[in-house]
Amino acid sequence: MPVSVIILAAGQGTRMNSDLPKVLHPVGAAPLLHHAMRAAQSLDPDRTIVVAGHGAEAVSKAAKAFDPEAQIVLQTEQRGTGHAVQQAAPLLADMPGDAIVLYGDTPFVRAETLDRLLQARARHAVVVLGFDARDPDRYGRLGAQDEDLHRIVEFKDASPEERAITLCNSGVICAETSLLLDLVSGLGTANAAGEYYLTDIVGLARDRGLSAGVVICDEAETLGINTRAQLAQAEAAFQTAMRAEALENGVTLTAPDTVFFALDTHVGRDAIIAPNVVFGPGVTVESGAVIHAFCHLEGCHVSRGATVGPFARLRPGAELAEDVHVGNFVEIKNTVLDEGVKVGHLTYLGDAHVGEHTNIGAGTVTCNYDGVMKHRTEIGARAFIGSDTMLVAPVTIGAGAMTASGSVITTDVPAAALALARARQVNKPGLAARLMDRLRATKAAKGQS
Ligand code: UD1
Ligand code: CA
């Protein structure tokens, strides 16, 4: 059965006190919107529609970055959740199957929960996702008996008795697409907020003799982000879940509470992650790799048997083949290290390719930027780059070549050649001692202690 997903993301998020649209604030180094879109993706939807309003251009860009096929509709004025769904109608008019409404600021709804929602559709025309709230606060209240949902009443419109109900509306709702569009077209604004309430479709459906149902999930899944404090709380919850999942998948985390994952981090079985490691977006660490303490990784790929750190930084485009060793105080950017390459200490490699089993000495720097443009460095296999070599790009070092320590390499080095590019050493016998004597005499003459 085809499924469409509508993600509401038009709100400003006033309580975030931010210039950034709420749904673009990050959890796990990914915008909140991506979390909702990922939940949607688990349903393999035929259509994904994001309703954008505040910061629509940026929201649209973020949506397309996650899923180029996602469609964006504009809700210029936020006149309620029902009004938001109405904006998506033109894009859904011809769609068979069910539609699910999700929220860009509600990141943790699980794929299994959405599945249960779709299954409950076999029994009810409209299905609402509810939860038992520890603190029902200002949530909409669900009047239900077992799985049968009688009505939803918004907090603002609720009587004291209704406010005493703890079964609350998560906001997530599912119905056959054509029915949903039909129902939202009949919404009015005669309520305390003067808005088009999506929640009113339950009453409208029941007026037609259709049944409504409730599926209950854990409160943690429905956590919506309205404030920075909730954002921090969401980050903590996300990290806790990712750490548990990594451990479950056979990853060793020496000190789980000090490791920070991104939404798309992949770590293979038997990889070891030492304390204080931070993963930015786009990282894959394969089985058996070791990330030592205090490393920061983003946009990179670490292959089997490779070791990284301690205190290493892998930036976007760092590609480490099997058994590569990257040691302490090393930064790698947009650089491919072939199998068995060793970069032990104090090095910057940017915009480079290093052939297999090459050794990069301590203090090596690819001088890849001339102030205007970036340039590439090519280093062949089994080469030996001496400590403190400056590789002024563009430059190529042939296979099996060596550079002498302290060299500033400005022209290509042929394969198997030794490049010496430093001043020749001169020793002056006795000069150090004579110089010291003179300096001491000068100081004494000035009467300094
Ligand atoms: C809504 C539900 C409430 C539920 C709660 C769960 C309605 C009428 N009420 O209330 O029953 O308990 O969510 O959090 O649906 N949005 C738009 N355009 C709009 C209005 C809202 O895109 O015109 C988006 C917002 O950006 C937000 C989401 O929809 O992400 C929810 O809107 P919000 O105004 O926060 O609804 P609540 O009053 O919290
Ligand atoms: Ca809300």
Side-chain angles (χ1 to χ4, degrees):
M1 169 105 77
V3 177
S4 303
V5 176
I6 307 164
I7 301 176
L8 306 194
Q12 180 178 18
T14 318
R15 288 202 285 153
M16 295 298 282
N17 189 13
S18 173
D19 289 338
L20 193 66
K22 177 161 76 171
V23 296
L24 299 188
H25 281 267
V27 162
L32 288 170
L33 180 63
H34 286 190
H35 292 254
M37 292 183 77
R38 198 169 80 144
Q41 208 175 43
S42 70
L43 298 170
D44 192 17
D46 297 80
R47 211 159 279 190
T48 301
I49 297 164
V50 175
V51 182
H54 284 277
E57 206 172 309
V59 169
S60 162
K61 206 170 144 203
K64 298 268 188 197
F66 186 88
D67 175 5
E69 314 222 304
Q71 292 173 287
I72 318 297
V73 291
L74 205 60
Q75 186 195 25
T76 38
E77 236 188 310
Q78 279 73 62
R79 301 173 65 191
T81 48
H83 183 255
V85 172
Q86 282 171 6
Q87 310 311 303
L91 292 178
L92 289 172
D94 58 331
M95 280 302 288
D98 287 346
I100 295 190
V101 179
L102 299 176
Y103 297 82
D105 62 356
T106 306
F108 298 138
V109 179
R110 290 164 13 141
E112 294 82 343
T113 302
L114 296 180
D115 256 347
R116 283 201 291 133
L117 217 58
L118 286 174
Q119 281 163 29
R121 266 274 305 113
R123 304 184 290 279
H124 305 280
V126 176
V127 182
V128 169
L129 183 64
F131 64 101
D132 233 313
R134 235 172 318 146
D135 171 15
D137 197 32
R138 301 182 66 81
Y139 286 114
R141 306 297 205 264
L142 301 183
Q145 188 145 41
D146 300 324
E147 204 187 76
D148 285 320
L149 180 62
H150 303 303
R151 72 214 139 91
I152 309 184
V153 51
E154 287 305 296
F155 176 81
K156 279 187 185 172
D157 304 288
S159 65
E161 296 75 45
E162 287 167 330
R163 288 184 180 180
I165 296 173
T166 58
L167 185 61
C168 289
N169 176 27
S170 72
V172 176
I173 233 170
C174 175
E176 196 193 356
T177 307
S178 57
L179 176 67
L180 177 71
L181 299 185
D182 194 10
L183 292 174
V184 295
S185 73
L187 291 173
T189 58
N191 54 55
E195 290 185 349
Y196 295 93
Y197 288 168
L198 176 61
T199 44
D200 282 350
I201 69 167
V202 168
L204 294 180
R206 288 180 61 90
D207 288 348
R208 294 187 190 185
L210 298 169
S211 89
V214 57
V215 162
I216 295 177
C217 73
D218 200 88
E219 183 168 6
E221 285 185 58
T222 68
L223 177 67
I225 314 301
N226 298 303
T227 63
R228 304 267 183 175
Q230 286 168 339
L231 186 69
Q233 201 187 329
E235 182 71 45
F238 171 80
Q239 295 301 340
T240 301
M242 288 296 277
R243 290 163 189 154
E245 191 183 312
L247 294 169
E248 186 73 22
N249 291 343
V251 177
T252 292
L253 302 179
T254 317
D257 289 351
T258 69
V259 176
F260 292 82
F261 292 97
L263 180 61
D264 60 356
T265 307
H266 289 288
V267 183
R269 192 162 164 261
D270 285 324
I272 297 174
I273 313 295
N276 296 296
V277 172
V278 176
F279 293 100
V283 177
T284 299
V285 174
E286 285 187 22
S287 284
V290 178
I291 312 296
H292 292 290
F294 298 100
C295 289
H296 190 281
L297 293 80
E298 64 182 309
C300 63
H301 176 208
V302 179
S303 302
R304 271 167 192 276
T307 61
V308 176
F311 298 99
R313 179 166 185 212
L314 301 185
R315 291 173 53 202
E319 179 72 42
L320 278 56
E322 293 190 12
D323 302 321
V324 161
H325 167 61
V326 167
N328 45 251
F329 308 112
V330 171
E331 175 180 342
I332 312 272
K333 185 216 78 170
N334 189 28
T335 288
V336 175
L337 304 179
D338 288 349
E339 191 177 330
V341 164
K342 288 190 168 58
V343 194
H345 347 252
L346 297 160
T347 288
Y348 170 61
L349 297 180
D351 305 311
H353 169 229
V354 182
E356 59 179 23
H357 298 291
T358 281
N359 189 93
I360 308 287
T364 296
V365 172
T366 52
C367 311
N368 59 326
Y369 185 49
D370 58 16
V372 180
M373 287 178 294
K374 301 277 172 66
H375 302 283
R376 291 195 56 81
T377 299
E378 283 288 335
I379 303 176
R382 290 168 213 282
F384 185 93
I385 305 301
S387 295
D388 196 30
T389 297
M390 298 294 116
L391 298 159
V392 182
V395 72
T396 298
I397 312 294
M402 293 176 86
T403 65
S405 296
S407 288
V408 178
I409 303 294
T410 55
T411 55
D412 292 354
V413 179
L418 167 66
L420 279 150
R422 63 188 187 204
R424 188 174 287 276
Q425 182 172 329
V426 181
N427 290 342
K428 304 279 190 185
L431 185 57
R434 290 204 301 280
L435 186 61
M436 284 303 234
D437 287 347
R438 210 165 64 214
L439 290 171
R440 286 193 188 103
T442 309
K443 189 177 176 184
K446 284 185 172 170
Q448 291 175 1
S449 57

